[in-house]
mmCIF file of all heavy atoms in Angstrom:
data_model
loop_
_atom_site.group_PDB
_atom_site.id
_atom_site.type_symbol
_atom_site.label_atom_id
_atom_site.label_comp_id
_atom_site.label_asym_id
_atom_site.label_seq_id
_atom_site.Cartn_x
_atom_site.Cartn_y
_atom_site.Cartn_z
ATOM 1 N N ASP A 55 -22.259 48.519 257.795
ATOM 2 C CA ASP A 55 -21.989 47.371 256.916
ATOM 3 C C ASP A 55 -20.709 46.748 257.508
ATOM 4 O O ASP A 55 -19.672 46.748 256.881
ATOM 5 C CB ASP A 55 -21.922 47.820 255.506
ATOM 6 C CG ASP A 55 -21.720 46.575 254.531
ATOM 7 O OD1 ASP A 55 -21.785 45.429 255.026
ATOM 8 O OD2 ASP A 55 -21.613 46.850 253.272
ATOM 9 N N TYR A 56 -20.910 46.197 258.731
ATOM 10 C CA TYR A 56 -19.703 45.824 259.487
ATOM 11 C C TYR A 56 -18.707 44.879 258.817
ATOM 12 O O TYR A 56 -17.498 44.969 259.015
ATOM 13 C CB TYR A 56 -20.118 45.174 260.809
ATOM 14 C CG TYR A 56 -20.887 46.134 261.744
ATOM 15 C CD1 TYR A 56 -22.124 45.701 262.336
ATOM 16 C CD2 TYR A 56 -20.374 47.293 262.096
ATOM 17 C CE1 TYR A 56 -22.818 46.508 263.155
ATOM 18 C CE2 TYR A 56 -21.089 48.121 262.977
ATOM 19 C CZ TYR A 56 -22.235 47.718 263.514
ATOM 20 O OH TYR A 56 -22.942 48.538 264.384
ATOM 21 N N LEU A 57 -19.272 43.950 258.010
ATOM 22 C CA LEU A 57 -18.403 42.909 257.417
ATOM 23 C C LEU A 57 -18.207 43.122 255.915
ATOM 24 O O LEU A 57 -17.671 42.260 255.195
ATOM 25 C CB LEU A 57 -18.980 41.537 257.681
ATOM 26 C CG LEU A 57 -19.231 41.156 259.108
ATOM 27 C CD1 LEU A 57 -19.879 39.741 259.272
ATOM 28 C CD2 LEU A 57 -17.967 41.216 259.920
ATOM 29 N N ALA A 58 -18.712 44.266 255.438
ATOM 30 C CA ALA A 58 -18.558 44.647 253.973
ATOM 31 C C ALA A 58 -19.326 43.652 253.149
ATOM 32 O O ALA A 58 -18.980 43.486 251.952
ATOM 33 C CB ALA A 58 -17.147 44.792 253.565
ATOM 34 N N MET A 59 -20.312 43.038 253.710
ATOM 35 C CA MET A 59 -21.104 42.038 252.850
ATOM 36 C C MET A 59 -21.850 42.756 251.748
ATOM 37 O O MET A 59 -22.252 42.190 250.708
ATOM 38 C CB MET A 59 -22.056 41.325 253.739
ATOM 39 C CG MET A 59 -21.439 40.306 254.662
ATOM 40 S SD MET A 59 -20.340 39.115 253.838
ATOM 41 C CE MET A 59 -21.586 38.251 252.801
ATOM 42 N N GLY A 60 -22.157 44.075 251.822
ATOM 43 C CA GLY A 60 -22.770 44.784 250.782
ATOM 44 C C GLY A 60 -21.894 44.979 249.584
ATOM 45 O O GLY A 60 -22.351 45.303 248.486
ATOM 46 N N GLN A 61 -20.551 44.589 249.719
ATOM 47 C CA GLN A 61 -19.679 44.563 248.664
ATOM 48 C C GLN A 61 -19.220 43.134 248.162
ATOM 49 O O GLN A 61 -18.436 42.984 247.260
ATOM 50 C CB GLN A 61 -18.341 45.273 249.076
ATOM 51 C CG GLN A 61 -18.595 46.739 249.620
ATOM 52 C CD GLN A 61 -18.889 47.663 248.453
ATOM 53 O OE1 GLN A 61 -18.148 47.674 247.474
ATOM 54 N NE2 GLN A 61 -19.986 48.387 248.618
ATOM 55 N N HIS A 62 -19.740 42.129 248.880
ATOM 56 C CA HIS A 62 -19.316 40.787 248.603
ATOM 57 C C HIS A 62 -19.836 40.283 247.231
ATOM 58 O O HIS A 62 -20.989 40.501 246.887
ATOM 59 C CB HIS A 62 -19.851 39.864 249.689
ATOM 60 C CG HIS A 62 -19.138 38.533 249.757
ATOM 61 N ND1 HIS A 62 -19.348 37.511 248.846
ATOM 62 C CD2 HIS A 62 -18.197 38.113 250.639
ATOM 63 C CE1 HIS A 62 -18.538 36.536 249.150
ATOM 64 N NE2 HIS A 62 -17.879 36.803 250.274
ATOM 65 N N PRO A 63 -18.933 39.676 246.489
ATOM 66 C CA PRO A 63 -19.307 39.208 245.102
ATOM 67 C C PRO A 63 -20.554 38.311 245.116
ATOM 68 O O PRO A 63 -21.406 38.278 244.211
ATOM 69 C CB PRO A 63 -18.095 38.434 244.636
ATOM 70 C CG PRO A 63 -16.930 38.984 245.385
ATOM 71 C CD PRO A 63 -17.572 39.424 246.725
ATOM 72 N N LYS A 64 -20.691 37.416 246.153
ATOM 73 C CA LYS A 64 -21.875 36.485 246.153
ATOM 74 C C LYS A 64 -23.212 37.320 246.326
ATOM 75 O O LYS A 64 -24.164 36.922 245.723
ATOM 76 C CB LYS A 64 -21.785 35.518 247.389
ATOM 77 C CG LYS A 64 -20.721 34.480 247.225
ATOM 78 C CD LYS A 64 -20.748 33.525 248.394
ATOM 79 C CE LYS A 64 -19.634 32.453 248.290
ATOM 80 N NZ LYS A 64 -19.698 31.564 249.486
ATOM 81 N N VAL A 65 -23.102 38.364 247.076
ATOM 82 C CA VAL A 65 -24.306 39.201 247.338
ATOM 83 C C VAL A 65 -24.642 39.955 246.077
ATOM 84 O O VAL A 65 -25.898 39.988 245.671
ATOM 85 C CB VAL A 65 -24.129 40.151 248.496
ATOM 86 C CG1 VAL A 65 -25.344 41.143 248.700
ATOM 87 C CG2 VAL A 65 -23.886 39.360 249.830
ATOM 88 N N ILE A 66 -23.759 40.584 245.485
ATOM 89 C CA ILE A 66 -23.953 41.299 244.264
ATOM 90 C C ILE A 66 -24.442 40.453 243.121
ATOM 91 O O ILE A 66 -25.391 40.780 242.379
ATOM 92 C CB ILE A 66 -22.642 42.064 243.857
ATOM 93 C CG1 ILE A 66 -22.298 43.097 244.922
ATOM 94 C CG2 ILE A 66 -22.872 42.736 242.504
ATOM 95 C CD1 ILE A 66 -20.999 43.820 244.685
ATOM 96 N N GLU A 67 -23.894 39.337 242.948
ATOM 97 C CA GLU A 67 -24.268 38.323 241.909
ATOM 98 C C GLU A 67 -25.685 37.924 242.227
ATOM 99 O O GLU A 67 -26.538 37.767 241.244
ATOM 100 C CB GLU A 67 -23.297 37.094 241.912
ATOM 101 C CG GLU A 67 -23.677 36.126 240.887
ATOM 102 C CD GLU A 67 -22.699 34.941 240.863
ATOM 103 O OE1 GLU A 67 -21.794 34.884 241.714
ATOM 104 O OE2 GLU A 67 -22.973 33.972 240.031
ATOM 105 N N ALA A 68 -26.063 37.615 243.443
ATOM 106 C CA ALA A 68 -27.452 37.124 243.730
ATOM 107 C C ALA A 68 -28.477 38.213 243.380
ATOM 108 O O ALA A 68 -29.520 37.918 242.857
ATOM 109 C CB ALA A 68 -27.481 36.817 245.213
ATOM 110 N N MET A 69 -28.117 39.463 243.708
ATOM 111 C CA MET A 69 -28.992 40.597 243.510
ATOM 112 C C MET A 69 -29.172 40.856 242.010
ATOM 113 O O MET A 69 -30.297 41.028 241.471
ATOM 114 C CB MET A 69 -28.506 41.879 244.125
ATOM 115 C CG MET A 69 -28.551 41.783 245.670
ATOM 116 S SD MET A 69 -28.060 43.283 246.506
ATOM 117 C CE MET A 69 -29.410 44.400 246.141
ATOM 118 N N GLU A 70 -28.097 40.737 241.242
ATOM 119 C CA GLU A 70 -28.199 40.928 239.767
ATOM 120 C C GLU A 70 -28.938 39.838 239.144
ATOM 121 O O GLU A 70 -29.861 40.086 238.270
ATOM 122 C CB GLU A 70 -26.731 40.933 239.195
ATOM 123 C CG GLU A 70 -25.987 42.220 239.527
ATOM 124 C CD GLU A 70 -24.584 42.193 238.952
ATOM 125 O OE1 GLU A 70 -24.111 41.073 238.714
ATOM 126 O OE2 GLU A 70 -23.945 43.280 238.805
ATOM 127 N N GLU A 71 -28.805 38.612 239.624
ATOM 128 C CA GLU A 71 -29.503 37.437 239.024
ATOM 129 C C GLU A 71 -31.025 37.623 239.327
ATOM 130 O O GLU A 71 -31.851 37.401 238.406
ATOM 131 C CB GLU A 71 -28.965 36.177 239.647
ATOM 132 C CG GLU A 71 -29.666 34.962 239.084
ATOM 133 C CD GLU A 71 -29.178 33.607 239.797
ATOM 134 O OE1 GLU A 71 -27.918 33.585 240.070
ATOM 135 O OE2 GLU A 71 -29.939 32.635 239.860
ATOM 136 N N ALA A 72 -31.429 38.022 240.555
ATOM 137 C CA ALA A 72 -32.811 38.156 240.879
ATOM 138 C C ALA A 72 -33.445 39.350 240.079
ATOM 139 O O ALA A 72 -34.540 39.194 239.628
ATOM 140 C CB ALA A 72 -32.937 38.430 242.350
ATOM 141 N N LEU A 73 -32.670 40.428 239.954
ATOM 142 C CA LEU A 73 -33.200 41.553 239.186
ATOM 143 C C LEU A 73 -33.517 41.169 237.738
ATOM 144 O O LEU A 73 -34.576 41.552 237.252
ATOM 145 C CB LEU A 73 -32.064 42.688 239.218
ATOM 146 C CG LEU A 73 -32.424 43.944 238.456
ATOM 147 C CD1 LEU A 73 -33.611 44.690 239.159
ATOM 148 C CD2 LEU A 73 -31.214 44.898 238.431
ATOM 149 N N HIS A 74 -32.676 40.381 237.167
ATOM 150 C CA HIS A 74 -32.882 40.012 235.781
ATOM 151 C C HIS A 74 -33.846 38.886 235.646
ATOM 152 O O HIS A 74 -34.394 38.582 234.506
ATOM 153 C CB HIS A 74 -31.572 39.617 235.131
ATOM 154 C CG HIS A 74 -30.589 40.831 234.918
ATOM 155 N ND1 HIS A 74 -30.836 41.808 234.032
ATOM 156 C CD2 HIS A 74 -29.485 41.121 235.566
ATOM 157 C CE1 HIS A 74 -29.957 42.784 234.070
ATOM 158 N NE2 HIS A 74 -29.044 42.401 235.004
ATOM 159 N N ASP A 75 -34.083 38.180 236.748
ATOM 160 C CA ASP A 75 -35.060 37.058 236.717
ATOM 161 C C ASP A 75 -36.473 37.479 236.986
ATOM 162 O O ASP A 75 -37.390 37.141 236.281
ATOM 163 C CB ASP A 75 -34.668 36.035 237.805
ATOM 164 C CG ASP A 75 -35.562 34.856 237.826
ATOM 165 O OD1 ASP A 75 -36.051 34.454 236.723
ATOM 166 O OD2 ASP A 75 -35.792 34.204 238.899
ATOM 167 N N VAL A 76 -36.694 38.432 237.956
ATOM 168 C CA VAL A 76 -38.028 38.750 238.316
ATOM 169 C C VAL A 76 -38.375 40.268 238.255
ATOM 170 O O VAL A 76 -39.501 40.702 238.445
ATOM 171 C CB VAL A 76 -38.425 38.195 239.730
ATOM 172 C CG1 VAL A 76 -38.229 36.784 239.778
ATOM 173 C CG2 VAL A 76 -37.555 38.921 240.793
ATOM 174 N N GLY A 77 -37.324 41.100 237.999
ATOM 175 C CA GLY A 77 -37.557 42.549 237.934
ATOM 176 C C GLY A 77 -37.232 43.235 239.191
ATOM 177 O O GLY A 77 -36.730 42.678 240.137
ATOM 178 N N ALA A 78 -37.552 44.475 239.174
ATOM 179 C CA ALA A 78 -37.107 45.384 240.376
ATOM 180 C C ALA A 78 -38.013 45.328 241.611
ATOM 181 O O ALA A 78 -37.473 45.050 242.660
ATOM 182 C CB ALA A 78 -37.106 46.792 239.892
ATOM 183 N N GLY A 79 -39.213 45.586 241.487
ATOM 184 C CA GLY A 79 -40.115 45.686 242.657
ATOM 185 C C GLY A 79 -40.861 44.421 243.038
ATOM 186 O O GLY A 79 -40.816 43.421 242.241
#
Side-chain angles (χ1 to χ4, degrees):
D55 185 1
Y56 294 131
L57 304 179
M59 290 305 297
Q61 304 288 307
H62 199 283
K64 289 183 181 178
V65 174
I66 294 171
E67 181 181 359
M69 293 183 71
E70 289 178 338
E71 182 179 330
L73 180 65
H74 292 291
D75 182 29
V76 301

